Amino acid sequence: MKRYDAIVIGGGHNGLVTAAYLARAKQSVLVLERRPRVGGAAVTEEIFPGFKFSMFSYVVSLLRPEIIRDLDLPRHGLHILPLESTVTPMENGDYLAAWGDHDETRRELYRHSPRDAEAYDEYGRLMHFMAQAVKPILGMVPPDPTSFAPGDLVGLLKLGKHFRDLGGERLHALVKLMTMSSADFLDEWFETDVLKATKSASGIIGTFLGPRSPGTAYVLLHHYMGELDGVFRAWGFAKGGTGAVSESIASAARGFGAEIRCDAGVSKVIVGNGRATGVVLENGDEIPARTVVSSLDPRRTFLQLLEPDHLPSDFVSDIRRFKFRGSSGKVNLALDSLPSFTCMPGVGRQHRGAFSISPSLDYVERAYDDAKYGEFSRRPYMDIVFPSMIDPGMAPPGKHVMSIFVQYAPYALNGGWTDAKREAFGDAVVNTVESFAPGFKSLILHRQVITPLDIERITGLSEGNIFAGELALHQLFFLRPAAGWAKFATPVRGFYQCGSGTHPGGGIMGASGRLAAMRILKDGT
Amino acid sequence: MSRNGYDAIVIGAGANGLVTAHYLARAGKRVLVVEQHESPDPSLDIGWVPAVIVRDLGLAGAGLRIQEPDPWITAPLEAGGTLELSRDIERSAEAIRRISPADAAKWPEFCQRLRRLAGVLERLYLAPPPDIESNDARELARIVGLGLYVRRLGKQAVIDLARILPMSIAELLDDWFENDALKGALGALGIWHLKQGPRSGGTAFNFLHHHAGSRGGVFRPARSNITQALSSIPGVELRRGERAAVLAKNGRASGVVLEKSGEAILVPLVVSSADPRATLQPIAFELDPEFARAVDNIKARGVVARGTLALESVPGYATLCIAPSLDYLERAYDDAKYGRDSAAPYVEVQRTDGRLELHVQYVAPGTHEDLTHKIARALNAQPNQVQVQAAEESLYHGELTLDQILFMRPVPGWSRYRTPIEGLYLCGSGTHPGGGIPGAAGRNAAREIL
């Protein structure tokens, strides 16, 4: 049997990125994916005949430009279509809109608050700068402050210098972003509640925190780091859905000679003499390899693929303590036609952008309160898009698909998730939309409701956490996934981790996959 | 020396103001302290009194008493009886064993780990905050020294420090313990004087902050009569019942004006232990707009009401804590988030000098009609036994959240007790290291001034 240089477990976007970079360096690489298709949580599926959905992850922005370049992804079919506007319907029938055109956005803001319209540009400049300042860290292997190795000391000093070079004012802004709640941070800038609510919403994505919880300002920044074709903070759709992103990386990997095998779940990593030597498939087949890389989340990577006695007990307890707490759900709808929102009646350009159901800070905070005590939000925060408006190929002619990202739906629901609870959750979602767009419910042809438990069952992401582990301050950088093991290596020689559960974490970013590949190539195992 | 004979005026005769005044006086300055209240408020003297201040100012000879009750907390249990935690770690473990053997087994290590981290804070607190922007070799050496000190405590301490500080107290306690009553009684310290709930990030730091100065296994700050002791030692002149405002012109402080009499006292050095906002906002016209905005942005939301409880007989406890679980505290916070007083507040009763003092959280500033009923309900007492004062803005002059500590306190980049107004300094709880450590900010400020 062929012995590969590297086996990558899991064909999500990070696993594929690692595979592509390794194959590009002339290694023989095999990717093993449990599901019938690659992509993990970045998949496009025709759930209802003729209607295609980016089933889980649905927008693209964070994908690292150097990956797009190195792997020449546009040649492999990656085509990003811009998502230009965000409209937030308010409870009083008014709205707040941010358009692709900057001057128009400013005029719209001015209508709500001249002061905020003034502050908006300065805020944008600061966030842009902060994102630029933090970006190099995304491409950096985190130094270990507990180590006395020269490499770590140099890394720490470099990091210290990087921060000091920011200069006082910006350094202070960074400290604030790292520690504050998005509500408090935005309070320092703006007075319009609906503006703060809509902005703060990107600070709660994928977390089990509310907009008033410290730590959410960092997630706000994390979402500001997107860059598409050099255009800062642009969000877009991949033509063909997010599955097309995964397919393009897979195609690039194949182009470099990697093999990708679907319907090939891995049950164990084979370890001999403290060294990974291959994997066992769910069907019992064994495949040997010099290096094994897992793109699964830390819990599954270390507690499922390995036996506990392969790992130091401190490390095992650190991984057990690593928090997932999935909080997001998704409702995918096939529509007969587009809904009309009370705040902006009719069908128009607003449907080419997002609708954010975040009418006030209290609204979003209350949605969190429900989840905190184990219930799904009765009136949830939602991010709604109509992919078929941007890529008509997603739905049959004249029909539409609607993607609703929902928070909060706690993984640990009181009494557990059942089919009835899932439908009740779906009802809460469509009823809330209906309150902003009367008549909407009658347009629904098909409905798919996805709970965190479903995300876990289908993609394998523990507790359905979309970032493969919460983006909490104490789970970032040299603590992701555990102190001492944040550099993609693991306590088992020849076994590496490359998923979003490692630095720098989630979103369709690919940075973890790329850094892991670099590390493996450097180790030359 | 100015014509009136003073070299410096200190605004406020709380522990920090008096400590600054005495350190300045010991350096030969003639100091006047102006205080708006007629008499000191003993219920403010809660927190670690650093030994170095006691020694430097000879407070032991001035009648300083530090109360360290044992057991330090008594928490009623739902099933009847109480949980009593003692100064002795073993005895506390015994008490915990009756409600959870698993938690009792972890207690000693928990106490030891947190004690070690509190030691790091203590070291940080008795000096001005590290200036990470500085290029001064001595300052850089100090920062490196601090780093080495932490590293020498061991790998685990470094990890704990990085992990625990940004955490919520609920996450920290859930990592260790299972029993609700234990977690509630401990978790309450994490929300002290903070408009945050136990599930909010940074509350683990607040917990540690208030553990500083206590021995391992004691998670309530000591109580003392430090203000009274400081008032009784000679060396500074104290004028009570006068509210002073800073006089500033052309970027320079020229003295203070007493609001009641309109009398202006001109001195070259003014040190304010009052809230930084109260000190600086009236002279905002003298300030750079960016600095003025940073002052306006200081978060100091009041959440605590203080008062007294009248019981017919002296109770058996020293400190009674009504915080039966972390969820209880979180729900109390939920009310505060939406601008209401907690329907079921966190209440603590502290017995001191024959009085029973109340700490009630979360209560918005102002007076509230039904508050006494809510407190009485939480305590199983009669409303007429409860007396509450009007709740104030944050007693700490700035919440102890991670974005408002060290070099970010009181405003980013101005953590060295100076202000952009020449001759005007700050020395109160609004500066590093913040509230709950009477005198520490005052001493640091005096040393910076000198």
Side-chain angles (χ1 to χ4, degrees):
Chain A
M1 173 170 279
K2 179 172 176 187
R3 180 166 179 260
Y4 291 88
D5 290 334
I7 285 177
V8 177
I9 303 169
H13 71 283
N14 274 311
L16 293 170
V17 165
T18 302
Y21 274 92
L22 292 179
R24 183 169 164 254
K26 308 281 179 248
Q27 296 215 351
S28 61
V29 181
L30 174 66
V31 179
L32 296 168
E33 167 58 43
R34 182 176 52 90
R35 297 196 66 217
R37 56 165 59 80
V38 294
V43 287
T44 305
E45 298 196 17
E46 189 169 327
I47 302 163
F48 309 110
F51 294 93
K52 292 183 200 152
F53 294 89
S54 298
M55 210 154 99
F56 309 100
S57 181
Y58 59 104
V59 281
V60 187
S61 157
L62 304 173
L63 188 62
R64 305 291 297 143
E66 62 269 27
I67 295 175
I68 298 179
R69 215 167 39 234
D70 289 350
L71 305 182
D72 201 3
L73 296 182
R75 197 169 62 82
H76 291 280
L78 180 70
H79 183 45
I80 307 277
L81 305 161
L83 179 66
E84 283 185 347
S85 63
T86 302
V87 173
T88 307
M90 294 162 65
E91 313 253 24
N92 64 5
D94 197 355
Y95 63 85
L96 173 77
W99 301 106
D101 179 72
H102 175 260
D103 289 338
E104 194 178 3
T105 301
R106 223 182 120 96
R107 281 198 299 280
E108 161 68 2
L109 265 177
Y110 197 87
R111 191 170 71 81
H112 290 272
S113 155
R115 205 192 95 180
D116 287 0
E118 291 298 318
Y120 194 72
D121 285 348
E122 201 191 329
Y123 173 82
R125 273 195 298 276
L126 175 80
M127 292 302 272
H128 178 97
F129 183 85
M130 295 322 300
Q132 296 300 325
V134 174
K135 258 188 195 170
I137 297 168
L138 299 186
M140 171 194 265
V141 176
D144 180 357
T146 67
S147 139
F148 284 95
D152 286 309
L153 290 175
V154 169
L156 283 174
L157 286 176
K158 272 192 190 155
L159 194 66
K161 184 172 179 327
H162 177 74
F163 285 132
R164 277 167 50 100
D165 288 348
L166 291 178
E169 200 183 321
R170 284 159 170 175
L171 182 62
H172 301 143
L174 184 64
V175 173
K176 288 185 171 197
L177 280 167
M178 297 299 281
T179 54
M180 288 176 89
S181 73
S182 41
D184 282 342
F185 185 76
L186 291 162
D187 262 342
E188 295 195 354
W189 289 89
F190 304 114
E191 59 185 12
T192 309
D193 189 51
V194 61
L195 174 65
K196 288 187 276 191
T198 304
K199 290 229 164 273
S200 72
S202 55
I204 58 166
I205 306 275
T207 72
F208 203 96
L209 297 169
R212 293 201 172 90
S213 311
T216 48
Y218 171 73
V219 186
L220 197 74
L221 181 65
H222 190 93
H223 281 89
Y224 249 91
M225 284 183 237
E227 190 175 7
L228 283 175
D229 297 334
V231 179
F232 167 71
R233 183 143 171 39
W235 286 86
F237 285 117
K239 187 165 165 40
T242 45
V245 179
S246 312
E247 294 293 348
S248 73
I249 305 171
S251 164
R254 284 195 202 94
F256 290 122
E259 273 176 64
I260 298 172
R261 206 181 293 172
C262 291
D263 292 309
V266 172
S267 63
K268 284 287 171 202
V269 171
I270 307 169
V271 179
N273 295 328
R275 200 190 153 85
T277 57
V279 300
V280 187
L281 297 186
E282 278 166 1
N283 67 9
D285 289 358
E286 293 190 8
I287 310 178
R290 273 199 314 142
T291 302
V292 179
V293 193
S294 169
S295 68
L296 312 187
D297 67 49
R299 185 180 289 172
R300 293 209 306 147
T301 296
F302 296 110
L303 305 182
Q304 198 174 314
L305 293 177
L306 294 175
E307 300 299 334
D309 57 356
H310 294 146
L311 298 167
S313 61
D314 280 0
F315 177 74
V316 171
S317 44
D318 281 352
I319 296 296
R320 288 216 171 98
R321 224 166 34 180
F322 195 71
K323 291 202 169 49
F324 292 88
R325 302 192 303 178
S327 60
S328 329
K330 186 90 187 290
V331 174
N332 293 318
L333 299 175
L335 298 183
D336 195 36
S337 61
L338 292 169
S340 161
F341 285 79
T342 311
C343 67
M344 206 180 275
V347 169
R349 60 168 179 159
Q350 68 270 30
H351 291 82
R352 281 184 221 286
F355 282 90
S356 176
I357 304 299
S358 49
S360 69
L361 267 175
D362 279 359
Y363 175 100
V364 183
E365 188 70 32
R366 284 209 170 86
Y368 167 58
D369 286 348
D370 289 336
K372 215 161 53 170
Y373 303 110
E375 302 295 335
F376 57 76
S377 309
R378 283 158 292 183
R379 284 175 66 74
Y381 157 70
M382 292 179 267
D383 186 44
I384 300 172
V385 286
F386 302 93
S388 51
M389 278 297 280
I390 294 165
D391 178 0
M394 300 296 279
K399 312 282 185 212
H400 286 281
V401 289
M402 178 171 175
S403 153
I404 312 178
F405 173 86
V406 194
Q407 258 177 247
Y408 300 80
Y411 174 79
L413 192 74
N414 289 339
W417 284 101
T418 59
D419 288 347
K421 291 250 182 77
R422 182 196 294 115
E423 291 316 311
F425 169 57
D427 289 346
V429 169
V430 295
N431 288 334
T432 307
V433 177
E434 174 84 14
S435 72
F436 292 99
F440 150 76
K441 277 164 78 173
S442 64
L443 307 174
I444 301 173
L445 301 173
H446 307 283
R447 161 171 124 175
Q448 181 196 36
V449 182
I450 300 172
T451 68
L453 185 64
D454 298 324
I455 296 177
E456 180 183 66
R457 272 202 297 243
I458 300 168
T459 67
L461 287 164
S462 293
E463 298 186 24
N465 184 290
I466 61 172
F467 291 144
E470 275 185 72
L471 286 183
L473 214 46
H474 61 272
Q475 300 199 149
L476 290 178
F477 208 49
F478 78 95
L479 294 169
R480 193 168 185 89
W485 299 103
K487 294 185 203 163
F488 310 98
T490 72
V492 175
R493 272 182 296 129
F495 184 50
Y496 290 83
Q497 40 182 344
C498 71
S500 295
T502 60
H503 171 77
I508 307 180
M509 196 185 299
S512 301
R514 178 174 165 271
L515 286 172
M518 307 288 197
R519 168 71 195 253
I520 293 164
L521 293 172
K522 188 170 147 229
D523 286 359
T525 47
Chain B
M1 192 188 295
S2 54
R3 247 178 309 165
N4 48 45
Y6 301 119
D7 298 308
I9 287 182
V10 173
I11 300 173
N16 281 314
L18 288 172
V19 164
T20 300
H22 281 294
Y23 272 96
L24 292 180
R26 284 185 346 140
K29 294 198 184 293
R30 294 207 38 193
V31 185
L32 171 68
V33 181
V34 186
E35 163 62 46
Q36 60 172 321
H37 296 292
E38 290 291 350
S39 53
D41 180 354
S43 69
L44 289 177
D45 291 342
I46 295 177
W48 166 40
V49 179
V52 59
I53 295 175
V54 177
R55 208 168 46 235
D56 284 352
L57 301 182
L59 293 181
L64 177 72
R65 281 175 295 121
I66 296 179
Q67 290 177 32
E68 293 174 319
D70 194 18
W72 53 267
I73 204 89
T74 303
L77 296 172
E78 212 177 323
T82 57
L83 169 68
E84 287 189 343
L85 298 178
S86 311
R87 301 179 62 75
D88 182 73
I89 290 178
E90 278 309 310
R91 204 184 314 150
S92 291
E94 278 307 312
I96 296 168
R97 192 162 295 127
R98 283 194 285 275
I99 53 172
S100 162
D103 290 357
K106 291 183 186 151
W107 180 251
E109 199 197 338
F110 175 79
C111 296
Q112 182 240 324
R113 290 263 283 268
L114 287 164
R115 182 56 242 153
R116 197 168 47 188
L117 297 187
V120 177
L121 293 190
E122 285 159 16
R123 199 181 151 107
L124 273 171
Y125 285 176
L126 293 180
D131 179 3
I132 54 169
E133 291 162 57
S134 165
N135 289 317
D136 177 63
R138 266 174 36 212
E139 185 60 22
L140 289 176
R142 187 164 86 93
I143 294 170
V144 170
L146 203 62
L148 287 176
Y149 165 77
V150 174
R151 300 266 288 246
R152 269 198 297 273
L153 293 176
K155 194 174 163 139
Q156 191 60 51
V158 181
I159 298 171
D160 279 352
L161 211 57
R163 267 194 88 236
I164 290 176
L165 295 189
M167 266 180 140
S168 73
I169 186 65
E171 283 172 301
L172 175 66
L173 295 173
D174 285 341
D175 267 0
W176 287 86
F177 304 120
E178 58 178 21
N179 182 270
D180 280 339
L182 177 63
K183 289 194 278 188
L186 294 174
L189 192 65
I191 59 161
W192 259 39
H193 293 279
L194 213 53
K195 192 171 178 181
Q196 298 288 355
R199 288 175 209 246
S200 304
T203 46
F205 161 75
N206 195 47
F207 178 80
L208 215 53
H209 174 90
H210 288 103
H211 180 41
S214 295
R215 64 192 285 176
V218 179
F219 297 99
R220 283 298 185 277
R223 173 186 272 279
S224 68
N225 62 343
I226 181 171
T227 306
Q228 194 193 332
L230 285 164
S231 308
S232 70
I233 49 178
V236 301
E237 192 180 329
L238 177 56
R239 209 187 285 183
R240 287 192 169 278
E242 285 278 15
R243 201 183 147 87
V246 178
L247 287 174
K249 207 175 166 186
N250 301 329
R252 209 181 178 324
S254 53
V256 302
V257 59
L258 304 182
E259 283 182 0
K260 227 170 7 187
S261 59
E263 179 193 348
I265 308 174
L266 302 182
V267 286
L269 174 63
V270 180
V271 191
S272 172
S273 68
D275 186 322
R277 291 177 308 169
T279 304
L280 294 165
Q281 277 166 342
I283 49 169
F285 56 88
E286 282 286 332
L287 301 169
D288 165 63
E290 279 299 311
F291 181 85
R293 195 169 89 162
V295 171
D296 292 341
N297 277 337
I298 296 174
K299 284 180 289 148
R301 301 166 288 199
V303 288
V304 176
R306 294 177 297 142
T308 51
L309 177 68
L311 295 181
E312 277 138 33
S313 57
V314 179
Y317 54 77
T319 306
L320 179 76
C321 172
I322 308 293
S325 69
L326 291 170
D327 268 358
Y328 179 94
L329 295 172
E330 186 69 30
R331 284 182 198 279
Y333 168 59
D334 285 346
D335 288 326
K337 278 197 305 200
Y338 304 109
R340 299 187 297 263
D341 292 347
S342 305
Y346 153 52
V347 181
E348 204 154 294
V349 186
Q350 294 146 352
R351 181 156 59 84
T352 178
D353 287 345
R355 288 189 315 279
L356 292 172
E357 288 187 353
L358 294 173
H359 171 116
V360 184
Q361 204 169 333
Y362 301 79
V363 181
T367 42
H368 311 255
E369 277 173 13
D370 52 347
L371 185 58
T372 51
H373 286 86
K374 288 175 183 159
I375 298 169
R377 206 159 44 233
L379 288 169
N380 264 330
Q382 296 304 315
N384 61 13
Q385 295 177 300
V386 174
Q387 271 220 323
V388 232
Q389 306 165 20
E392 298 153 83
E393 293 269 291
S394 165
L395 288 176
Y396 285 6
H397 303 173
E399 294 162 52
L400 283 167
T401 50
L402 295 177
D403 56 302
Q404 298 196 144
I405 58 168
L406 297 172
F407 57 89
M408 305 288 283
R409 191 174 186 88
V411 299
W414 288 94
S415 59
R416 292 300 180 95
Y417 310 96
R418 286 177 184 76
T419 68
I421 308 287
E422 208 184 320
L424 174 63
Y425 288 79
L426 300 173
C427 72
S429 312
T431 62
H432 171 82
I437 310 175
R443 173 172 173 271
N444 291 345
R447 288 169 28 126
E448 271 306 292
I449 294 165
L450 295 168

